[in-house]
Amino acid sequence: MKGNVIIDRELCKGCLVCLEFCPKQVIVPLEKVNAAGYIPVQPAQMNECNGCGICALVCAEVAIEVYRE
């Protein structure tokens, strides 16, 4: 089963907790800041995502949604 991760870059505060907990390492920091001045994260290598949802569970800002395909 594959997953699809959607991250609201404006809600993300760049704490990188999701990056640390992702077992497949599919989340990476973005190279530019959001409107609030934080460096948000973005999904990458989505073909590796298994849709576990851990990233969404650990996000304190509720900026991540995970869908299984």
Side-chain angles (χ1 to χ4, degrees):
M1 184 174 295
K2 295 290 182 183
N4 184 24
V5 177
I6 299 173
I7 299 174
D8 185 331
R9 294 181 183 142
E10 295 306 317
L11 286 178
C12 179
K13 291 190 176 175
C15 70
L16 305 180
V17 172
C18 57
L19 188 143
E20 295 295 323
F21 279 89
C22 179
K24 300 290 186 172
Q25 300 300 303
V26 298
I27 300 174
V28 297
L30 194 60
E31 294 185 9
K32 61 181 185 176
V33 298
N34 61 17
Y38 297 110
I39 299 175
V41 294
Q42 66 180 356
Q45 303 173 348
M46 287 309 301
N47 58 331
E48 295 293 323
C49 180
N50 63 7
C52 70
I54 294 173
C55 57
L57 289 173
V58 299
C59 181
E61 303 305 319
V62 193
I64 303 174
E65 296 178 18
V66 178
Y67 299 95
R68 291 185 181 165
E69 298 176 352

